[in-house]
Amino acid sequence: MKCKLCKNKGIYKNFCERHFIEYFEDKVKLAIKRFKLLKKSDKVAVAVSGGKDSMSVLTILNKLGYNVTAISIDEGIFGYRDKTLDNVKLFCKKNNIKLKVYSFKKEFGKPLDKMNIIGSKCSVCGVFRRDILNKYTKGYDVLATGHNMDDEAQAIIMNLLKNNLDILPRLGPISGVKTIKNFTKRVKPLYLCTEKEVSLYSKLKKVNPYSCCCPNKQYSFRLRILRLLDKLELTQPNIKLNIINWFLKYKKKIKEKGTIKICKLCGNPSSKTVCNKCILIKTI
Ligand code: SF4
Ligand code: ZN
């Protein structure tokens, strides 16, 4: 297979290495333009875990000249997060990118691995991470995350199959609660890029040398959806893109259910009078 543009050795969809990188970066530019994700004057926080997706977003936004600050969270996952954080620190230093690291230990009194958690660590981790991001991105115009097309297609199908239709309006290239002031807009520049493409890009750019997964990662239902979509994609090419396109077409017609309140203890957006973080803090 040769590159359709220069006849060098092709590595993906008839693109050589150089032209694949251009193709990938053009897709990110297209998503930014099509969904109006970012303005050149924006102060952009990038949520960076050190994994392939967030490192790729940081790489591209920095390359495109956006005013980026990397925001990393040290949850306190021993033997894992320290390694990915070292990767982020090294990368930011090398590329002259501002980096801010916040920790569960400082914010909530204990690292995740020392918290008293009954059930899934991920659900507690997710609530606390969101809380830190809400709190520390208030001075930014936008928070960019590394969600890619596969993540989004999985989330859409999972919520459909669980009949969580009221959660669907919160998905999309610009996500989160938009009706609340003081809540930083969240954007997904990799919205049009598949998981495979992000993996290849991060490998070619060598941005993710420590690519091991979190030991707590709970796949369960999401993993089954992921495998199902990957299997379908083999015989029905573009199935993930079709899911995204269907969703974008009908998103406006699906109404968000329930009103968003403000937590009476911490002031963050919540569907209840006291948010999950404030409830969890009492149990850990
Ligand atoms: Fe946190 Fe779970 Fe993600 Fe690990 S896999 S970082 S515990 S949410
Ligand atoms: Zn709260």
Side-chain angles (χ1 to χ4, degrees):
M1 183 176 66
K2 285 196 170 171
C3 174
K4 60 184 171 191
L5 297 176
C6 70
K7 307 292 173 221
N8 279 336
K9 189 177 161 230
I11 55 163
Y12 179 84
K13 281 194 178 173
N14 290 32
F15 288 125
C16 66
E17 188 173 321
R18 178 166 77 89
H19 285 113
F20 167 76
I21 289 174
E22 273 180 25
Y23 156 84
F24 184 87
E25 292 178 350
D26 281 349
K27 266 186 155 184
V28 177
K29 287 188 222 162
L30 178 72
I32 293 173
K33 197 171 163 201
R34 177 171 160 200
F35 304 120
K36 300 186 177 66
L37 303 185
L38 299 168
K39 292 198 291 285
K40 273 285 174 196
S41 56
D42 278 344
K43 200 176 163 201
V44 185
V46 185
V48 182
S49 67
K52 66 176 185 348
D53 303 288
S54 59
M55 292 299 282
S56 297
V57 170
L58 185 62
T59 303
I60 298 181
L61 296 187
N62 186 48
K63 188 175 168 186
L64 295 177
Y66 287 97
N67 175 10
V68 289
T69 301
I71 308 275
S72 288
I73 299 176
D74 181 0
E75 301 92 344
I77 303 166
F78 305 134
Y80 164 71
R81 182 55 80 218
D82 33 349
K83 293 195 175 93
T84 63
L85 274 178
D86 283 349
N87 182 27
V88 176
K89 284 176 193 164
L90 197 72
F91 180 85
C92 289
K93 202 173 166 197
K94 234 162 106 185
N95 292 282
N96 214 10
I97 297 172
K98 290 161 271 174
L99 167 68
K100 297 203 170 154
V101 183
Y102 303 98
S103 74
F104 278 16
K105 188 164 181 226
K106 189 145 182 248
E107 294 297 315
F108 310 115
K110 287 179 191 173
L112 185 74
D113 280 354
K114 292 245 166 98
M115 288 180 186
N116 175 27
I117 298 170
I118 303 159
S120 153
K121 279 191 179 178
C122 289
S123 47
V124 175
C125 182
V127 170
F128 285 164
R129 276 152 56 113
R130 273 193 296 281
D131 183 72
I132 291 181
L133 289 174
N134 282 346
K135 188 170 166 187
Y136 290 106
T137 57
K138 289 214 164 85
Y140 296 86
D141 296 301
V142 63
L143 170 65
T145 63
H147 294 91
N148 61 45
M149 185 194 283
D150 289 47
D151 298 327
E152 186 77 353
Q154 288 154 22
I156 293 166
I157 296 298
M158 274 166 65
N159 284 306
L160 276 176
L161 295 181
K162 285 185 171 180
N163 197 21
N164 285 338
L165 297 188
D166 47 317
I167 294 186
L168 285 179
R170 293 187 201 164
L171 300 175
I174 299 179
S175 63
V177 189
K178 287 169 228 111
T179 46
I180 299 269
K181 276 189 188 153
N182 227 359
F183 188 84
T184 313
K185 179 170 94 167
R186 295 184 177 205
V187 301
K188 302 172 184 167
L190 302 184
Y191 200 79
L192 300 174
C193 305
T194 65
E195 176 102 29
K196 217 170 162 182
E197 290 168 346
V198 182
S199 290
L200 182 56
Y201 181 80
S202 71
K203 257 184 218 140
L204 296 174
K205 289 288 204 178
K206 300 187 180 66
V207 294
N208 181 29
Y210 184 75
S211 56
C212 192
C213 277
C214 174
N216 301 322
K217 191 153 185 169
Q218 299 231 328
Y219 288 108
S220 55
F221 190 49
R222 184 178 276 268
L223 180 65
R224 275 150 56 206
I225 299 295
L226 180 157
R227 287 192 176 139
L228 175 73
L229 294 182
D230 280 350
K231 202 170 164 190
L232 289 171
E233 186 94 26
L234 294 175
T235 48
Q236 304 274 124
N238 289 332
I239 203 156
K240 292 167 194 166
L241 182 63
N242 292 343
I243 293 170
I244 303 284
N245 283 337
W246 166 83
F247 171 70
L248 291 172
K249 198 165 164 193
Y250 288 98
K251 185 176 174 340
K252 287 191 195 107
K253 296 187 182 164
I254 317 167
K255 292 263 179 306
E256 200 159 342
K257 211 173 87 185
T259 49
I260 298 296
K261 301 181 180 82
I262 294 290
C263 170
K264 65 177 182 186
L265 297 180
C266 72
N268 276 336
S270 169
S271 55
K272 297 167 280 184
T273 46
V274 175
C275 74
N276 285 340
K277 182 244 350 204
C278 289
I279 295 170
L280 278 172
I281 271 187
K282 293 193 178 129
T283 67
I284 58 162

